PDB file of all heavy atoms in Angstrom:
ATOM      1  N   GLU A  31      28.065  20.579 203.601  1.00  0.00           N
ATOM      2  CA  GLU A  31      26.603  20.712 203.487  1.00  0.00           C
ATOM      3  C   GLU A  31      25.953  21.106 204.811  1.00  0.00           C
ATOM      4  O   GLU A  31      25.005  21.892 204.822  1.00  0.00           O
ATOM      5  CB  GLU A  31      25.941  19.407 203.010  1.00  0.00           C
ATOM      6  CG  GLU A  31      26.396  18.937 201.644  1.00  0.00           C
ATOM      7  CD  GLU A  31      27.232  17.684 201.757  1.00  0.00           C
ATOM      8  OE1 GLU A  31      28.172  17.653 202.593  1.00  0.00           O
ATOM      9  OE2 GLU A  31      26.955  16.743 201.015  1.00  0.00           O
ATOM     10  N   ALA A  32      26.439  20.585 205.917  1.00  0.00           N
ATOM     11  CA  ALA A  32      25.806  20.810 207.219  1.00  0.00           C
ATOM     12  C   ALA A  32      25.868  22.274 207.662  1.00  0.00           C
ATOM     13  O   ALA A  32      25.065  22.705 208.506  1.00  0.00           O
ATOM     14  CB  ALA A  32      26.454  19.926 208.272  1.00  0.00           C
ATOM     15  N   VAL A  33      26.821  23.042 207.111  1.00  0.00           N
ATOM     16  CA  VAL A  33      26.983  24.435 207.562  1.00  0.00           C
ATOM     17  C   VAL A  33      26.649  25.449 206.464  1.00  0.00           C
ATOM     18  O   VAL A  33      26.878  26.642 206.634  1.00  0.00           O
ATOM     19  CB  VAL A  33      28.431  24.697 208.076  1.00  0.00           C
ATOM     20  CG1 VAL A  33      28.714  23.861 209.307  1.00  0.00           C
ATOM     21  CG2 VAL A  33      29.480  24.432 206.986  1.00  0.00           C
ATOM     22  N   LEU A  34      26.069  24.976 205.351  1.00  0.00           N
ATOM     23  CA  LEU A  34      25.850  25.848 204.190  1.00  0.00           C
ATOM     24  C   LEU A  34      25.108  27.134 204.499  1.00  0.00           C
ATOM     25  O   LEU A  34      25.424  28.182 203.937  1.00  0.00           O
ATOM     26  CB  LEU A  34      25.077  25.087 203.103  1.00  0.00           C
ATOM     27  CG  LEU A  34      25.900  24.458 201.980  1.00  0.00           C
ATOM     28  CD1 LEU A  34      24.976  23.922 200.905  1.00  0.00           C
ATOM     29  CD2 LEU A  34      26.880  25.460 201.384  1.00  0.00           C
ATOM     30  N   ASN A  35      24.124  27.062 205.379  1.00  0.00           N
ATOM     31  CA  ASN A  35      23.311  28.248 205.651  1.00  0.00           C
ATOM     32  C   ASN A  35      23.758  29.026 206.878  1.00  0.00           C
ATOM     33  O   ASN A  35      23.136  30.013 207.254  1.00  0.00           O
ATOM     34  CB  ASN A  35      21.836  27.838 205.785  1.00  0.00           C
ATOM     35  CG  ASN A  35      21.315  27.242 204.484  1.00  0.00           C
ATOM     36  OD1 ASN A  35      21.534  27.805 203.412  1.00  0.00           O
ATOM     37  ND2 ASN A  35      20.661  26.092 204.569  1.00  0.00           N
ATOM     38  N   GLN A  36      24.845  28.579 207.493  1.00  0.00           N
ATOM     39  CA  GLN A  36      25.367  29.297 208.665  1.00  0.00           C
ATOM     40  C   GLN A  36      26.318  30.408 208.229  1.00  0.00           C
ATOM     41  O   GLN A  36      26.993  30.285 207.197  1.00  0.00           O
ATOM     42  CB  GLN A  36      26.125  28.324 209.573  1.00  0.00           C
ATOM     43  CG  GLN A  36      25.238  27.273 210.228  1.00  0.00           C
ATOM     44  CD  GLN A  36      26.028  26.425 211.203  1.00  0.00           C
ATOM     45  OE1 GLN A  36      26.931  26.915 211.882  1.00  0.00           O
ATOM     46  NE2 GLN A  36      25.700  25.141 211.276  1.00  0.00           N
ATOM     47  N   PRO A  37      26.390  31.492 209.015  1.00  0.00           N
ATOM     48  CA  PRO A  37      27.395  32.523 208.698  1.00  0.00           C
ATOM     49  C   PRO A  37      28.798  31.994 209.002  1.00  0.00           C
ATOM     50  O   PRO A  37      28.969  31.067 209.802  1.00  0.00           O
ATOM     51  CB  PRO A  37      27.022  33.676 209.634  1.00  0.00           C
ATOM     52  CG  PRO A  37      26.267  33.043 210.750  1.00  0.00           C
ATOM     53  CD  PRO A  37      25.577  31.841 210.188  1.00  0.00           C
ATOM     54  N   ALA A  38      29.791  32.581 208.350  1.00  0.00           N
ATOM     55  CA  ALA A  38      31.173  32.142 208.561  1.00  0.00           C
ATOM     56  C   ALA A  38      31.629  32.391 210.004  1.00  0.00           C
ATOM     57  O   ALA A  38      32.399  31.602 210.561  1.00  0.00           O
ATOM     58  CB  ALA A  38      32.097  32.865 207.586  1.00  0.00           C
ATOM     59  N   ALA A  39      31.153  33.491 210.582  1.00  0.00           N
ATOM     60  CA  ALA A  39      31.572  33.842 211.954  1.00  0.00           C
ATOM     61  C   ALA A  39      31.249  32.712 212.919  1.00  0.00           C
ATOM     62  O   ALA A  39      30.136  32.197 212.942  1.00  0.00           O
ATOM     63  CB  ALA A  39      30.875  35.124 212.389  1.00  0.00           C
ATOM     64  N   GLY A  40      32.254  32.324 213.707  1.00  0.00           N
ATOM     65  CA  GLY A  40      32.025  31.344 214.757  1.00  0.00           C
ATOM     66  C   GLY A  40      32.274  29.896 214.364  1.00  0.00           C
ATOM     67  O   GLY A  40      32.276  29.015 215.222  1.00  0.00           O
ATOM     68  N   LEU A  41      32.465  29.625 213.086  1.00  0.00           N
ATOM     69  CA  LEU A  41      32.717  28.241 212.675  1.00  0.00           C
ATOM     70  C   LEU A  41      34.178  27.870 212.941  1.00  0.00           C
ATOM     71  O   LEU A  41      35.056  28.742 212.968  1.00  0.00           O
ATOM     72  CB  LEU A  41      32.392  28.065 211.185  1.00  0.00           C
ATOM     73  CG  LEU A  41      30.903  28.050 210.831  1.00  0.00           C
ATOM     74  CD1 LEU A  41      30.715  28.032 209.327  1.00  0.00           C
ATOM     75  CD2 LEU A  41      30.194  26.866 211.474  1.00  0.00           C
ATOM     76  N   PRO A  42      34.474  26.572 213.134  1.00  0.00           N
ATOM     77  CA  PRO A  42      35.853  26.157 213.411  1.00  0.00           C
ATOM     78  C   PRO A  42      36.809  26.546 212.285  1.00  0.00           C
ATOM     79  O   PRO A  42      36.429  26.588 211.105  1.00  0.00           O
ATOM     80  CB  PRO A  42      35.750  24.622 213.525  1.00  0.00           C
ATOM     81  CG  PRO A  42      34.318  24.350 213.811  1.00  0.00           C
ATOM     82  CD  PRO A  42      33.535  25.440 213.151  1.00  0.00           C
ATOM     83  N   PHE A  43      38.059  26.799 212.679  1.00  0.00           N
ATOM     84  CA  PHE A  43      39.074  27.273 211.726  1.00  0.00           C
ATOM     85  C   PHE A  43      39.257  26.284 210.565  1.00  0.00           C
ATOM     86  O   PHE A  43      39.342  26.684 209.403  1.00  0.00           O
ATOM     87  CB  PHE A  43      40.396  27.474 212.472  1.00  0.00           C
ATOM     88  CG  PHE A  43      41.467  28.126 211.640  1.00  0.00           C
ATOM     89  CD1 PHE A  43      41.387  29.466 211.293  1.00  0.00           C
ATOM     90  CD2 PHE A  43      42.557  27.390 211.192  1.00  0.00           C
ATOM     91  CE1 PHE A  43      42.370  30.070 210.527  1.00  0.00           C
ATOM     92  CE2 PHE A  43      43.548  27.987 210.430  1.00  0.00           C
ATOM     93  CZ  PHE A  43      43.446  29.324 210.094  1.00  0.00           C
ATOM     94  N   GLY A  44      39.313  24.995 210.879  1.00  0.00           N
ATOM     95  CA  GLY A  44      39.508  23.989 209.826  1.00  0.00           C
ATOM     96  C   GLY A  44      38.380  24.002 208.814  1.00  0.00           C
ATOM     97  O   GLY A  44      38.606  23.827 207.607  1.00  0.00           O
ATOM     98  N   THR A  45      37.154  24.230 209.289  1.00  0.00           N
ATOM     99  CA  THR A  45      35.990  24.320 208.395  1.00  0.00           C
ATOM    100  C   THR A  45      36.116  25.540 207.487  1.00  0.00           C
ATOM    101  O   THR A  45      35.876  25.460 206.278  1.00  0.00           O
ATOM    102  CB  THR A  45      34.684  24.427 209.223  1.00  0.00           C
ATOM    103  OG1 THR A  45      34.585  23.282 210.066  1.00  0.00           O
ATOM    104  CG2 THR A  45      33.458  24.512 208.329  1.00  0.00           C
ATOM    105  N   LEU A  46      36.526  26.668 208.073  1.00  0.00           N
ATOM    106  CA  LEU A  46      36.660  27.907 207.292  1.00  0.00           C
ATOM    107  C   LEU A  46      37.750  27.785 206.231  1.00  0.00           C
ATOM    108  O   LEU A  46      37.634  28.361 205.148  1.00  0.00           O
ATOM    109  CB  LEU A  46      36.948  29.090 208.221  1.00  0.00           C
ATOM    110  CG  LEU A  46      35.820  29.432 209.199  1.00  0.00           C
ATOM    111  CD1 LEU A  46      36.234  30.569 210.120  1.00  0.00           C
ATOM    112  CD2 LEU A  46      34.526  29.789 208.461  1.00  0.00           C
ATOM    113  N   LYS A  47      38.790  27.018 206.525  1.00  0.00           N
ATOM    114  CA  LYS A  47      39.842  26.772 205.520  1.00  0.00           C
ATOM    115  C   LYS A  47      39.243  26.046 204.308  1.00  0.00           C
ATOM    116  O   LYS A  47      39.587  26.335 203.162  1.00  0.00           O
ATOM    117  CB  LYS A  47      40.971  25.924 206.124  1.00  0.00           C
ATOM    118  CG  LYS A  47      41.912  26.699 207.024  1.00  0.00           C
ATOM    119  CD  LYS A  47      43.122  27.168 206.243  1.00  0.00           C
ATOM    120  CE  LYS A  47      44.180  27.759 207.143  1.00  0.00           C
ATOM    121  NZ  LYS A  47      45.400  28.130 206.415  1.00  0.00           N
ATOM    122  N   ARG A  48      38.331  25.102 204.579  1.00  0.00           N
ATOM    123  CA  ARG A  48      37.688  24.372 203.472  1.00  0.00           C
ATOM    124  C   ARG A  48      36.740  25.280 202.693  1.00  0.00           C
ATOM    125  O   ARG A  48      36.614  25.157 201.471  1.00  0.00           O
ATOM    126  CB  ARG A  48      36.943  23.139 204.010  1.00  0.00           C
ATOM    127  CG  ARG A  48      37.872  21.954 204.216  1.00  0.00           C
ATOM    128  CD  ARG A  48      37.134  20.711 204.660  1.00  0.00           C
ATOM    129  NE  ARG A  48      36.723  20.803 206.051  1.00  0.00           N
ATOM    130  CZ  ARG A  48      35.559  20.370 206.526  1.00  0.00           C
ATOM    131  NH1 ARG A  48      34.673  19.818 205.724  1.00  0.00           N
ATOM    132  NH2 ARG A  48      35.281  20.493 207.800  1.00  0.00           N
ATOM    133  N   VAL A  49      36.087  26.217 203.404  1.00  0.00           N
ATOM    134  CA  VAL A  49      35.217  27.181 202.723  1.00  0.00           C
ATOM    135  C   VAL A  49      36.040  28.035 201.767  1.00  0.00           C
ATOM    136  O   VAL A  49      35.656  28.264 200.616  1.00  0.00           O
ATOM    137  CB  VAL A  49      34.476  28.082 203.736  1.00  0.00           C
ATOM    138  CG1 VAL A  49      33.670  29.171 203.017  1.00  0.00           C
ATOM    139  CG2 VAL A  49      33.566  27.250 204.631  1.00  0.00           C
ATOM    140  N   GLU A  50      37.194  28.495 202.240  1.00  0.00           N
ATOM    141  CA  GLU A  50      38.035  29.330 201.377  1.00  0.00           C
ATOM    142  C   GLU A  50      38.523  28.533 200.166  1.00  0.00           C
ATOM    143  O   GLU A  50      38.601  29.057 199.054  1.00  0.00           O
ATOM    144  CB  GLU A  50      39.222  29.904 202.160  1.00  0.00           C
ATOM    145  CG  GLU A  50      39.880  31.016 201.362  1.00  0.00           C
ATOM    146  CD  GLU A  50      41.075  31.649 202.046  1.00  0.00           C
ATOM    147  OE1 GLU A  50      41.848  30.924 202.674  1.00  0.00           O
ATOM    148  OE2 GLU A  50      41.222  32.861 201.912  1.00  0.00           O
ATOM    149  N   LEU A  51      38.832  27.268 200.376  1.00  0.00           N
ATOM    150  CA  LEU A  51      39.251  26.391 199.278  1.00  0.00           C
ATOM    151  C   LEU A  51      38.107  26.225 198.277  1.00  0.00           C
ATOM    152  O   LEU A  51      38.319  26.296 197.056  1.00  0.00           O
ATOM    153  CB  LEU A  51      39.668  25.041 199.841  1.00  0.00           C
ATOM    154  CG  LEU A  51      40.478  24.098 198.965  1.00  0.00           C
ATOM    155  CD1 LEU A  51      41.691  24.785 198.368  1.00  0.00           C
ATOM    156  CD2 LEU A  51      40.898  22.878 199.766  1.00  0.00           C
ATOM    157  N   ALA A  52      36.881  26.036 198.786  1.00  0.00           N
ATOM    158  CA  ALA A  52      35.711  25.912 197.904  1.00  0.00           C
ATOM    159  C   ALA A  52      35.508  27.177 197.093  1.00  0.00           C
ATOM    160  O   ALA A  52      35.219  27.125 195.894  1.00  0.00           O
ATOM    161  CB  ALA A  52      34.456  25.618 198.743  1.00  0.00           C
ATOM    162  N   ARG A  53      35.672  28.335 197.738  1.00  0.00           N
ATOM    163  CA  ARG A  53      35.492  29.604 197.017  1.00  0.00           C
ATOM    164  C   ARG A  53      36.542  29.767 195.919  1.00  0.00           C
ATOM    165  O   ARG A  53      36.229  30.199 194.809  1.00  0.00           O
ATOM    166  CB  ARG A  53      35.570  30.783 197.997  1.00  0.00           C
ATOM    167  CG  ARG A  53      35.262  32.108 197.311  1.00  0.00           C
ATOM    168  CD  ARG A  53      35.228  33.263 198.276  1.00  0.00           C
ATOM    169  NE  ARG A  53      36.527  33.500 198.887  1.00  0.00           N
ATOM    170  CZ  ARG A  53      36.751  34.423 199.816  1.00  0.00           C
ATOM    171  NH1 ARG A  53      35.751  35.165 200.254  1.00  0.00           N
ATOM    172  NH2 ARG A  53      37.944  34.597 200.320  1.00  0.00           N
ATOM    173  N   ALA A  54      37.792  29.391 196.222  1.00  0.00           N
ATOM    174  CA  ALA A  54      38.850  29.484 195.213  1.00  0.00           C
ATOM    175  C   ALA A  54      38.572  28.533 194.050  1.00  0.00           C
ATOM    176  O   ALA A  54      38.785  28.875 192.886  1.00  0.00           O
ATOM    177  CB  ALA A  54      40.203  29.172 195.842  1.00  0.00           C
ATOM    178  N   MET A  55      38.075  27.324 194.353  1.00  0.00           N
ATOM    179  CA  MET A  55      37.781  26.353 193.305  1.00  0.00           C
ATOM    180  C   MET A  55      36.530  26.729 192.506  1.00  0.00           C
ATOM    181  O   MET A  55      36.364  26.297 191.367  1.00  0.00           O
ATOM    182  CB  MET A  55      37.590  24.963 193.921  1.00  0.00           C
ATOM    183  CG  MET A  55      38.863  24.317 194.421  1.00  0.00           C
ATOM    184  SD  MET A  55      40.032  23.974 193.070  1.00  0.00           S
ATOM    185  CE  MET A  55      39.199  22.616 192.237  1.00  0.00           C
ATOM    186  N   ALA A  56      35.654  27.557 193.086  1.00  0.00           N
ATOM    187  CA  ALA A  56      34.413  27.947 192.410  1.00  0.00           C
ATOM    188  C   ALA A  56      34.675  28.758 191.142  1.00  0.00           C
ATOM    189  O   ALA A  56      33.836  28.800 190.243  1.00  0.00           O
ATOM    190  CB  ALA A  56      33.522  28.749 193.365  1.00  0.00           C
ATOM    191  N   SER A  57      35.827  29.391 191.056  1.00  0.00           N
ATOM    192  CA  SER A  57      36.166  30.160 189.851  1.00  0.00           C
ATOM    193  C   SER A  57      36.711  29.269 188.738  1.00  0.00           C
ATOM    194  O   SER A  57      37.086  29.757 187.684  1.00  0.00           O
ATOM    195  CB  SER A  57      37.179  31.259 190.186  1.00  0.00           C
ATOM    196  OG  SER A  57      38.425  30.680 190.558  1.00  0.00           O
ATOM    197  N   GLN A  58      36.734  27.946 189.007  1.00  0.00           N
ATOM    198  CA  GLN A  58      37.234  26.959 188.038  1.00  0.00           C
ATOM    199  C   GLN A  58      38.644  27.318 187.548  1.00  0.00           C
ATOM    200  O   GLN A  58      38.883  27.447 186.351  1.00  0.00           O
ATOM    201  CB  GLN A  58      36.266  26.828 186.854  1.00  0.00           C
ATOM    202  CG  GLN A  58      34.888  26.366 187.265  1.00  0.00           C
ATOM    203  CD  GLN A  58      33.869  26.437 186.140  1.00  0.00           C
ATOM    204  OE1 GLN A  58      34.159  26.892 185.042  1.00  0.00           O
ATOM    205  NE2 GLN A  58      32.666  25.998 186.432  1.00  0.00           N
ATOM    206  N   PRO A  59      39.575  27.479 188.480  1.00  0.00           N
ATOM    207  CA  PRO A  59      40.920  27.905 188.077  1.00  0.00           C
ATOM    208  C   PRO A  59      41.691  26.802 187.353  1.00  0.00           C
ATOM    209  O   PRO A  59      41.506  25.618 187.639  1.00  0.00           O
ATOM    210  CB  PRO A  59      41.595  28.232 189.412  1.00  0.00           C
ATOM    211  CG  PRO A  59      40.916  27.325 190.396  1.00  0.00           C
ATOM    212  CD  PRO A  59      39.485  27.243 189.929  1.00  0.00           C
ATOM    213  N   LYS A  60      42.534  27.214 186.427  1.00  0.00           N
ATOM    214  CA  LYS A  60      43.508  26.272 185.840  1.00  0.00           C
ATOM    215  C   LYS A  60      44.672  26.105 186.807  1.00  0.00           C
ATOM    216  O   LYS A  60      45.276  25.052 186.897  1.00  0.00           O
ATOM    217  CB  LYS A  60      44.051  26.832 184.515  1.00  0.00           C
ATOM    218  CG  LYS A  60      43.060  26.908 183.381  1.00  0.00           C
ATOM    219  CD  LYS A  60      43.772  27.474 182.154  1.00  0.00           C
ATOM    220  CE  LYS A  60      42.795  27.762 181.035  1.00  0.00           C
ATOM    221  NZ  LYS A  60      43.485  28.411 179.894  1.00  0.00           N
ATOM    222  N   LEU A  61      44.993  27.207 187.514  1.00  0.00           N
ATOM    223  CA  LEU A  61      46.091  27.222 188.481  1.00  0.00           C
ATOM    224  C   LEU A  61      45.563  27.713 189.816  1.00  0.00           C
ATOM    225  O   LEU A  61      44.937  28.775 189.893  1.00  0.00           O
ATOM    226  CB  LEU A  61      47.211  28.156 188.007  1.00  0.00           C
ATOM    227  CG  LEU A  61      48.373  28.394 188.986  1.00  0.00           C
ATOM    228  CD1 LEU A  61      49.187  27.120 189.200  1.00  0.00           C
ATOM    229  CD2 LEU A  61      49.282  29.522 188.474  1.00  0.00           C
ATOM    230  N   LEU A  62      45.814  26.938 190.868  1.00  0.00           N
ATOM    231  CA  LEU A  62      45.389  27.321 192.216  1.00  0.00           C
ATOM    232  C   LEU A  62      46.625  27.608 193.059  1.00  0.00           C
ATOM    233  O   LEU A  62      47.498  26.750 193.209  1.00  0.00           O
ATOM    234  CB  LEU A  62      44.566  26.191 192.844  1.00  0.00           C
ATOM    235  CG  LEU A  62      44.014  26.445 194.249  1.00  0.00           C
ATOM    236  CD1 LEU A  62      43.073  27.656 194.268  1.00  0.00           C
ATOM    237  CD2 LEU A  62      43.279  25.201 194.758  1.00  0.00           C
ATOM    238  N   LEU A  63      46.700  28.825 193.602  1.00  0.00           N
ATOM    239  CA  LEU A  63      47.795  29.224 194.478  1.00  0.00           C
ATOM    240  C   LEU A  63      47.347  29.022 195.918  1.00  0.00           C
ATOM    241  O   LEU A  63      46.401  29.667 196.370  1.00  0.00           O
ATOM    242  CB  LEU A  63      48.155  30.706 194.247  1.00  0.00           C
ATOM    243  CG  LEU A  63      48.447  31.138 192.810  1.00  0.00           C
ATOM    244  CD1 LEU A  63      48.662  32.652 192.743  1.00  0.00           C
ATOM    245  CD2 LEU A  63      49.660  30.412 192.245  1.00  0.00           C
ATOM    246  N   LEU A  64      48.000  28.111 196.624  1.00  0.00           N
ATOM    247  CA  LEU A  64      47.647  27.823 198.016  1.00  0.00           C
ATOM    248  C   LEU A  64      48.707  28.423 198.935  1.00  0.00           C
ATOM    249  O   LEU A  64      49.864  28.008 198.913  1.00  0.00           O
ATOM    250  CB  LEU A  64      47.549  26.309 198.251  1.00  0.00           C
ATOM    251  CG  LEU A  64      46.454  25.559 197.489  1.00  0.00           C
ATOM    252  CD1 LEU A  64      46.504  24.072 197.826  1.00  0.00           C
ATOM    253  CD2 LEU A  64      45.072  26.122 197.813  1.00  0.00           C
ATOM    254  N   ASP A  65      48.307  29.406 199.727  1.00  0.00           N
ATOM    255  CA  ASP A  65      49.237  30.132 200.597  1.00  0.00           C
ATOM    256  C   ASP A  65      49.097  29.617 202.031  1.00  0.00           C
ATOM    257  O   ASP A  65      48.122  29.926 202.715  1.00  0.00           O
ATOM    258  CB  ASP A  65      48.928  31.635 200.530  1.00  0.00           C
ATOM    259  CG  ASP A  65      50.005  32.484 201.180  1.00  0.00           C
ATOM    260  OD1 ASP A  65      50.978  31.912 201.707  1.00  0.00           O
ATOM    261  OD2 ASP A  65      49.874  33.716 201.163  1.00  0.00           O
TER     262      ASP A  65
END
């Protein structure tokens, strides 16, 4: 929530990993492939 309105550029790597996870989960997948 604290970074919702910030651009992705410049945010810590661990935070960006969670953003990518949120985006993948946003499609409501039955199967999630984590690479």
Side-chain angles (χ1 to χ4, degrees):
E31 299 110 311
V33 296
L34 263 188
N35 297 313
Q36 293 185 36
L41 287 173
F43 187 71
T45 302
L46 295 177
K47 283 265 189 176
R48 277 184 286 141
V49 175
E50 194 180 39
L51 196 51
R53 185 176 64 183
M55 288 296 289
S57 67
Q58 299 171 357
K60 292 180 188 175
L61 174 67
L62 181 60
L63 307 175
L64 296 180
D65 191 359

